[in-house]
Amino acid sequence: MTTMVDVAKLANVSNATVSRVFSNPDAVSKDTKEKVLKAAEELNYELNVLARNLRRMKTEVIMVILPDISNSFFSKIVRGIESVAMKNNYKVLLGDTKNDLDLEKEYLKNLDQKYADGVISLTARIDAELIKEISDKFNMVLACEYIDEESIPTVSINNVEGAYKATEHLINLGHEKIVHISGPEDVILSQDRIKGYKNALNEYNLSVDADLIIEGDFSYKSGYNIMSKLIKFNKTPTAVFADSDQMAIGAIKAIKEHGLKVPEDIAVVGFDNIEIASIYEPSLTTISQPMYKIGVKAMQLLLDLMGNKKIENNKIQLESKLIIRDSCGYKSR
Amino acid sequence: MTTMVDVAKLANVSNATVSRVFSNPDAVSKDTKEKVLKAAEELNYELNVLARNLRRMKTEVIMVILPDISNSFFSKIVRGIESVAMKNNYKVLLGDTKNDLDLEKEYLKNLDQKYADGVISLTARIDAELIKEISDKFNMVLACEYIDEESIPTVSINNVEGAYKATEHLINLGHEKIVHISGPEDVILSQDRIKGYKNALNEYNLSVDADLIIEGDFSYKSGYNIMSKLIKFNKTPTAVFADSDQMAIGAIKAIKEHGLKVPEDIAVVGFDNIEIASIYEPSLTTISQPMYKIGVKAMQLLLDLMGNKKIENNKIQLESKLIIRDSCGYKSR
DNA sequence: CTCATAAATGTATTCGATTACATTTATCTA
DNA sequence: TAGATAAATGTAATCGAATACATTTATGAG
């Protein structure tokens, strides 16, 4: 294997100079630089990242922790993260927790071993204490999911507001019995959306019925199961607001299977605006989250953190938007 | 920062012994081990992976190169890869090429810098020469896409066979004018599927019309556009076999928009069996690929490669399966 | 042209763990 | 119990690049 020493010998300079050519080229004269690069070329030299990393005590790698990479919601965010990471010479390590809290913990804990310079976590389900503790030691950014903790940099939409918009839309269409299929209730994001849902009902003088708030897990299957049960037990609502497009589509599938129609019999609103939302039939009215942008912002925040830049605003809230399609119809009051 | 030297001092042993406790525990007596671990615990010592990596000239990281992580076909494979990687103490670096050949090249070329111990590439669109060259130097496995090169370990399904099954199914339902929306034709996988499509037609004494083979790029959009054009120019077929579920669904969308019905007017078969295939309406008849398993096998192969194990079979072919759903109906001959 | 200063390069140490080789200690055999 | 062998531990070199500090060379001011 060719090392800097070999290049230095051939170019007739010191290894320090060779190193400078690669890591701090401005400190080397033009002639020397050329000489070194030529020698490197000739020897097919490639810088050994392993050695650089040790010396610099940096990995140039960040880790992304998420519940499921095959969920397009998360993978879109990852794309945003990676694009910014790449431009800044960082690589992205994947930490798919498979929705397993132990795995989530393991990924986070091993960071002491310096296999990454920072983390972006798209999930925050383990105890807040631990998350806080880790974020005190490491460069960590939360995105999408978050915990109630002042000090941790976070990128997300305003979930209270998003849920409010979705619920309000249904109310404006004349619905009064609106089922809310929520995400896991120990996730603050879900709590916020429940808040938004309730706020909207209150605002429009509709009563809040705790039975109409049913906990799902964001998955297609849970939406399907919950809806099936509702219909089977004669608790069919006139409208459903689900915390993910997957659950919304699962619910629609169940509705159709029971011979009912969307939106004629039941109106459905989803959340996220993933790709299928526009392709599915009926196309899905939903609250869109700027996935790619969330990734971009999270990575930028992490770069600032890692560069020890001063963060002026560590809670970034991006815009969500109500996208009206066919799954709610235009039923009037 | 606490290092092995600190631990060694506290435990009153040499640093070599401390190292052994962590990397080769069997070589150390029980008493010493305990003493060392206690000291490490007390000092909150964490092994520095950076240093270990340099010394061992290993990263314990593999890289996965793919065209688009937000495409669920690829992300399912990644999950398979990651699960095996994790069990074997490898981490997974993400290389999303965004379908950009230059990026694909860049990821591959930088491997000389030793930032990964091996690669699994789910895309093989750059020139075969270069791929071959890289695979000679590095541990590399191709999965899904492949090139025509004896020596490179590859995991895939038999695409000729898969396409044959899809086409045969349509023929058995009585179709004679079957459009094949193929993948990019410079990808061998697409060529193989075209071969399978033609084989089936020949086998059943149907003529092969080159105009019926139209090149797409696997995307929803390309399926939609191709189908729209066909209908607009009065070249509507009675059946469509698309090289991806996305293109199939795009085609269905176009068909519906022109007031035609699937499967009544046009039967559609997809490829891959991604999640939407069963959820979409009509649910999609398709050729299923074992995505997760492809990932698993690819990673196992790579582990063998990296461990310098002898590979007895470097071309692994997994089973594809025809999944019959609603998008073809039961039209009889 | 000289001296002061800046730019370029070189020397040698360092990052922290691993490991070849050397030495000490324990275990076993006859 | 001596001597042989195995197990445990220690010493010191090593991985390859980065960098603090020292030295040399170039540049500019007067």
Side-chain angles (χ1 to χ4, degrees):
Chain A
M1 168 191 276
T2 325
T3 74
M4 278 192 174
V5 179
D6 303 320
V7 177
K9 268 184 201 144
L10 183 61
N12 221 352
V13 295
S14 75
N15 52 334
T17 298
V18 178
S19 172
R20 285 186 195 107
V21 169
F22 291 104
S23 61
N24 184 15
D26 292 343
V28 183
S29 76
K30 195 163 155 263
D31 288 359
T32 317
K33 214 177 316 188
E34 270 170 18
K35 208 164 52 172
V36 169
L37 287 175
K38 194 163 147 270
E41 173 85 41
E42 199 172 327
L43 293 172
N44 248 316
Y45 170 74
E46 287 287 343
L47 190 139
N48 186 320
V49 176
L50 257 30
R52 162 181 284 187
N53 286 350
L54 171 59
R55 187 53 230 249
R56 290 198 173 158
M57 223 36 103
K58 288 227 253 160
T59 61
E60 307 213 298
V61 161
I62 65 120
M63 166 154 258
V64 178
I65 298 177
L66 42 73
D68 180 2
I69 186 65
S70 68
N71 179 327
S72 87
F73 175 70
F74 294 114
S75 51
K76 289 274 183 207
I77 298 175
V78 169
R79 285 201 116 190
I81 293 174
E82 213 211 354
S83 73
V84 177
M86 250 210 128
K87 276 186 210 128
N88 291 275
N89 264 311
Y90 277 89
K91 298 194 184 60
V92 176
L93 264 186
L94 198 61
D96 189 324
T97 69
K98 306 174 208 303
N99 276 303
D100 176 341
L101 295 196
D102 290 335
L103 267 181
E104 185 179 336
K105 233 181 258 186
E106 202 179 316
Y107 281 126
L108 286 172
K109 280 189 143 179
N110 288 337
L111 287 165
D112 314 46
Q113 303 183 350
K114 305 221 177 307
Y115 66 72
D117 297 340
V119 215
I120 297 175
S121 185
L122 308 183
T123 178
R125 315 230 172 134
I126 58 173
D127 41 318
E129 280 301 313
L130 187 54
I131 294 182
K132 169 86 172 83
E133 193 182 302
I134 289 164
S135 104
D136 283 345
K137 283 192 288 185
F138 293 106
N139 301 311
M140 163 144 119
V141 171
L142 296 181
C144 302
E145 289 185 11
Y146 40 90
I147 63 172
D148 190 12
E149 170 57 53
E150 188 55 42
S151 66
I152 304 180
T154 302
V155 180
S156 71
I157 58 161
N158 183 328
N159 283 293
V160 179
E161 197 182 289
Y164 183 96
K165 282 188 239 175
T167 314
E168 184 181 39
H169 179 64
L170 291 169
I171 295 173
N172 282 336
L173 291 171
H175 295 282
E176 302 192 337
K177 188 176 178 190
I178 302 171
V179 159
H180 177 36
I181 304 181
S182 81
E185 296 194 9
D186 51 342
V187 176
I188 298 208
L189 162 164
S190 307
Q191 293 169 19
D192 280 351
R193 294 199 191 154
I194 290 175
K195 217 177 282 174
Y197 163 80
K198 288 181 176 169
N199 286 355
L201 293 176
N202 287 330
E203 193 74 32
Y204 287 86
N205 293 313
L206 294 171
S207 61
V208 172
D209 180 350
D211 285 355
L212 297 186
I213 302 174
I214 306 168
E215 183 174 358
D217 63 4
F218 294 124
S219 75
Y220 168 79
K221 204 162 190 117
S222 77
Y224 178 87
N225 290 339
I226 288 168
M227 199 64 219
S228 299
K229 235 177 250 170
L230 281 171
I231 299 176
K232 212 165 10 181
F233 294 135
N234 269 321
K235 298 193 167 179
T236 317
T238 69
V240 174
F241 160 42
D243 259 2
S244 73
D245 289 342
Q246 276 102 338
M247 292 198 293
I249 288 175
I252 293 177
K253 190 92 172 180
I255 293 169
K256 285 183 180 171
E257 280 186 16
H258 283 82
L260 297 172
K261 283 187 176 167
V262 176
E264 291 82 352
D265 297 311
I266 305 181
V268 178
V269 180
F271 212 111
D272 294 346
N273 193 30
I274 60 177
E275 207 170 22
I276 326 180
S278 64
I279 297 174
Y280 194 71
E281 302 198 2
S283 60
L284 199 61
T285 292
T286 191
I287 301 293
S288 89
Q289 294 204 52
M291 281 91 93
Y292 191 85
K293 198 166 172 191
I294 290 176
V296 167
K297 287 281 174 194
M299 188 63 212
Q300 285 170 346
L301 209 49
L302 185 60
L303 283 170
D304 287 349
L305 265 183
M306 294 189 302
N308 291 318
K309 275 194 202 149
K310 207 170 145 210
I311 314 279
E312 70 301 332
N313 173 18
N314 79 342
K315 301 282 178 200
I316 297 181
Q317 284 209 337
L318 299 173
E319 279 299 306
S320 67
K321 220 162 66 188
L322 173 69
I323 309 277
I324 299 178
R325 296 207 184 90
D326 299 337
S327 63
C328 293
Y330 298 95
K331 181 176 173 187
S332 63
R333 265 198 143 154
Chain B
M1 171 192 276
T2 325
T3 75
M4 279 193 173
V5 179
D6 303 319
V7 176
K9 268 184 200 141
L10 182 61
N12 219 356
V13 296
S14 75
N15 53 333
T17 299
V18 178
S19 172
R20 284 187 195 104
V21 170
F22 291 104
S23 62
N24 184 17
D26 292 343
V28 183
S29 76
K30 198 164 153 262
D31 287 358
T32 317
K33 213 179 317 190
E34 270 168 18
K35 209 165 48 173
V36 169
L37 287 175
K38 195 162 145 274
E41 172 87 40
E42 199 173 323
L43 293 172
N44 248 316
Y45 170 74
E46 287 286 344
L47 191 139
N48 186 320
V49 175
L50 257 29
R52 161 182 284 189
N53 285 350
L54 171 59
R55 187 55 231 247
R56 291 196 174 160
M57 226 28 108
K58 288 227 253 163
T59 62
E60 307 213 298
V61 162
I62 65 121
M63 166 154 257
V64 178
I65 297 177
L66 43 71
D68 180 2
I69 186 65
S70 68
N71 180 327
S72 88
F73 175 69
F74 293 114
S75 52
K76 288 273 182 209
I77 297 175
V78 169
R79 285 201 117 190
I81 293 173
E82 213 212 354
S83 74
V84 177
M86 250 211 128
K87 275 185 208 126
N88 291 275
N89 263 311
Y90 277 90
K91 297 194 183 60
V92 176
L93 263 186
L94 197 62
D96 189 325
T97 69
K98 307 175 207 298
N99 275 304
D100 176 342
L101 295 196
D102 290 334
L103 267 181
E104 184 179 336
K105 231 180 261 185
E106 200 179 315
Y107 281 125
L108 285 172
K109 281 190 142 179
N110 288 337
L111 287 165
D112 314 44
Q113 302 185 348
K114 303 222 178 310
Y115 66 73
D117 297 341
V119 217
I120 297 175
S121 185
L122 307 184
T123 178
R125 313 225 174 138
I126 57 172
D127 42 318
E129 280 300 313
L130 186 54
I131 294 182
K132 169 84 172 86
E133 191 182 305
I134 288 163
S135 105
D136 283 344
K137 284 193 287 187
F138 293 106
N139 302 309
M140 161 144 121
V141 171
L142 295 181
C144 303
E145 291 185 9
Y146 40 89
I147 62 172
D148 189 12
E149 170 58 54
E150 188 53 44
S151 66
I152 304 180
T154 302
V155 180
S156 70
I157 58 162
N158 183 329
N159 283 292
V160 181
E161 196 182 291
Y164 184 97
K165 283 188 239 175
T167 313
E168 183 180 41
H169 179 65
L170 290 169
I171 295 172
N172 282 336
L173 290 171
H175 295 283
E176 303 193 334
K177 187 176 177 189
I178 301 172
V179 159
H180 176 35
I181 303 181
S182 80
E185 296 195 10
D186 51 343
V187 176
I188 298 208
L189 161 162
S190 307
Q191 294 169 19
D192 280 351
R193 294 201 190 151
I194 290 174
K195 217 177 282 173
Y197 163 81
K198 287 181 178 171
N199 287 354
L201 292 176
N202 287 329
E203 193 74 33
Y204 286 87
N205 293 315
L206 294 172
S207 62
V208 171
D209 180 351
D211 286 354
L212 296 186
I213 302 175
I214 306 169
E215 182 174 0
D217 63 5
F218 293 125
S219 75
Y220 168 78
K221 203 161 191 115
S222 76
Y224 178 88
N225 289 340
I226 289 169
M227 198 64 219
S228 298
K229 234 177 250 172
L230 282 171
I231 298 176
K232 209 160 20 178
F233 294 134
N234 270 320
K235 298 192 166 179
T236 317
T238 70
V240 173
F241 159 41
D243 260 2
S244 73
D245 289 343
Q246 276 101 339
M247 291 199 292
I249 289 175
I252 295 178
K253 189 92 172 179
I255 293 168
K256 284 183 179 170
E257 280 187 14
H258 284 83
L260 297 172
K261 283 188 174 166
V262 176
E264 291 82 353
D265 298 310
I266 305 180
V268 177
V269 180
F271 213 111
D272 294 346
N273 194 28
I274 61 177
E275 207 171 22
I276 326 181
S278 65
I279 296 173
Y280 194 71
E281 302 203 0
S283 61
L284 199 62
T285 291
T286 190
I287 301 293
S288 89
Q289 295 203 53
M291 279 90 91
Y292 191 86
K293 199 168 174 190
I294 289 176
V296 167
K297 286 282 174 191
M299 186 65 213
Q300 286 170 346
L301 209 50
L302 185 59
L303 284 170
D304 287 350
L305 266 184
M306 294 188 302
N308 292 318
K309 274 191 201 149
K310 208 173 142 206
I311 314 282
E312 70 301 330
N313 173 19
N314 78 344
K315 302 279 177 200
I316 297 181
Q317 284 209 337
L318 300 173
E319 279 299 304
S320 68
K321 220 163 66 190
L322 173 69
I323 309 278
I324 299 178
R325 295 206 183 90
D326 300 337
S327 62
C328 293
Y330 298 96
K331 180 175 174 187
S332 61
R333 267 203 141 145

